[in-house]
Amino acid sequence: MTQARPPTLCALALVAVTLVVARADDTGLVHRLTVRSEHDTVFFGYALDADGDTVVIGDYNGACTERGPCHGDVRIYGATRDGLVEQARFHGDEDTLGFEVAIDGDRAAASLNRRVRIFERGRDRRWYETATIEMGDCANRSLEAITLAGDYLITLALDRICVWTPKAGTWRLDGDLGTGAIVDGKLAAAGNTIAIAWRDKNQVALYRRGLAGWRRVETIAVERPFGLALQGTTLAVQTNHTIQLFDVARAPRLVATLAPQSEPADWKYGAELALDDRMLVAWSDDGLHVYRRSGERWAAAGVVASPLAGRTWFGARLALTPHWLWVGDPREDPHPTPGGLVYGFERRR
């Protein structure tokens, strides 16, 4: 286990935060915050995750030196209606940090090449780096995706899916879910359930952990799945310009099919999804398509356009919490330099 290392703390002034007051519509979302990196880097907001009122943003083109390479960084913020407070910032080393990030409770993770660094919030409410996990055979090349679910870290590489868990003071491999080429794969996890979308195989595989370890329990036939989200026992899958919702508590059961709220839908529709028990948000070329749940029924609630007209990467990354929707736009830019932005939308209902 890596010895705990305190974070690099930075003043809020280094990050441009714009407070916005806007009216709520049928989506119940109010644009409150706009955040950009002081580096004005293209990929700020490409890596994004949130839990509660804590948001983690990766900037793998950040932390550049004048003559040296960019090593990337990861920022952890606490959110209020009045703004963001930067709680910690961690920098990359010889590898670029922050291509993928994840958070669950008081634990966060960030990928760099074939490693994952773990950060934990201590009793003093400060964040510390507590471990670096070497992927070994679990990644023959850079990681494509990571996620945290309780005490499990799940990593997705081009040719392997692995599950890690902390045991006896160190992170150990808890499950190897198999090898083989994973083309355009997507990863989601909740509790002891993991969902993997294989676009080239036209399927979504579900894995669960039992007494004998991790095993595949279901395979759902879905045409070229891409976007994927899992919340509790509800699974959302983008397929063929629609979004299908399944109840996966037992055998998967299709409960709803959602259509775009505007036409024509391009390839982006549903390629990124955020889901909880009340709301589903889908990225699309014209903005964020929002759906709300009432009882067992899902209904369209409206489309949230980018605060800057004509920007089509608004929503390339999404993170949904009970009070916030966080929207990454790694190619957004109101400035002369091509910096990315992150938007915070307050949820009013």
Side-chain angles (χ1 to χ4, degrees):
M1 187 173 189
T2 303
Q3 184 178 0
R5 187 166 61 189
T8 301
L9 296 178
C10 299
L12 184 60
L14 291 178
V15 179
V17 179
T18 303
L19 299 179
V20 181
V21 178
R23 67 177 183 85
D25 54 18
D26 288 343
T27 67
L29 297 171
V30 177
H31 178 205
R32 294 289 303 177
L33 301 170
T34 301
V35 189
R36 69 177 177 86
S37 166
E38 72 277 12
H39 303 300
D40 280 324
T41 51
V42 175
F43 296 108
F44 182 76
Y46 178 81
L48 172 69
D49 199 11
D51 188 23
D53 291 324
T54 305
V55 58
V56 182
I57 302 173
D59 185 6
Y60 71 93
N61 259 144
C64 304
T65 60
E66 289 186 6
R67 302 192 177 204
C70 299
H71 292 304
D73 59 32
V74 170
R75 303 98 181 274
I76 303 177
Y77 300 98
T80 71
R81 295 182 73 249
D82 298 321
L84 291 177
V85 176
E86 185 173 291
Q87 300 176 347
R89 185 179 299 203
F90 299 91
H91 298 296
D93 45 35
E94 68 272 14
D95 289 324
T96 301
L97 180 68
F99 182 75
E100 289 286 340
V101 298
I103 184 172
D104 189 359
D106 291 328
R107 180 179 290 136
S111 68
L112 63 169
N113 199 357
R114 297 175 60 240
R115 293 180 288 156
V116 174
R117 286 165 61 179
I118 302 294
F119 314 102
E120 297 188 5
R121 183 159 39 197
R123 293 183 179 180
D124 60 0
R125 308 309 293 166
R126 296 183 66 186
W127 287 89
Y128 298 88
E129 181 176 356
T130 57
T132 297
I133 307 171
E134 301 284 349
M135 291 294 101
D137 291 339
C138 281
N140 291 328
R141 56 188 298 177
S142 297
L143 292 168
E144 298 288 327
I146 64 173
T147 192
L148 286 166
D151 277 338
Y152 299 113
L153 166 72
I154 304 98
T155 60
L156 171 66
L158 184 64
D159 57 354
R160 211 171 194 111
I161 307 154
C162 290
V163 185
W164 308 80
T165 193
K167 294 179 181 178
T170 188
W171 284 78
R172 300 183 181 181
L173 185 64
D174 189 66
D176 186 337
L177 306 188
T179 60
I182 303 168
V183 179
D184 290 333
K186 286 278 187 156
L187 167 68
N192 70 337
T193 301
I194 298 171
I196 307 291
W198 268 289
R199 196 176 191 193
D200 59 322
K201 295 182 180 180
N202 295 317
Q203 64 180 229
V204 175
L206 296 179
Y207 298 82
R208 288 198 175 97
R209 196 184 195 287
L211 295 177
W214 292 91
R215 66 184 184 90
R216 185 186 292 206
V217 294
E218 298 287 351
T219 300
I220 307 173
V222 180
E223 184 178 354
R224 296 189 64 75
F226 194 41
L228 190 69
L230 179 63
Q231 170 66 32
T233 60
T234 302
L235 175 71
V237 184
Q238 178 254 28
T239 172
N240 198 24
H241 298 305
T242 64
I243 298 168
Q244 294 185 345
L245 291 161
F246 296 87
D247 182 342
V248 295
R250 295 180 176 83
R253 176 175 61 92
L254 181 65
V255 296
T257 298
L258 305 179
Q261 299 178 51
S262 58
E263 296 291 346
D266 72 347
W267 68 269
K268 295 188 186 76
Y269 174 73
E272 175 72 4
L273 298 170
L275 171 71
D276 69 7
D277 57 356
R278 295 183 293 135
M279 179 180 287
L280 182 143
V281 183
W283 178 34
S284 191
D285 188 63
D286 60 343
L288 306 178
H289 291 226
V290 180
Y291 304 84
R292 300 187 65 86
R293 181 179 182 177
S294 177
E296 296 300 316
R297 297 180 62 85
W298 288 87
V303 177
V304 178
S306 169
L308 294 178
R311 304 295 186 173
T312 59
W313 287 87
F314 169 74
R317 286 297 172 99
L318 301 169
L320 191 62
T321 72
H323 301 296
W324 293 94
L325 169 67
W326 296 99
V327 182
D329 190 333
R331 297 170 187 265
E332 194 75 278
D333 180 31
H335 307 287
T337 52
L341 292 176
V342 172
Y343 300 97
F345 288 80
E346 185 184 4
R347 296 177 64 174
R348 291 289 178 90
R349 58 185 179 88

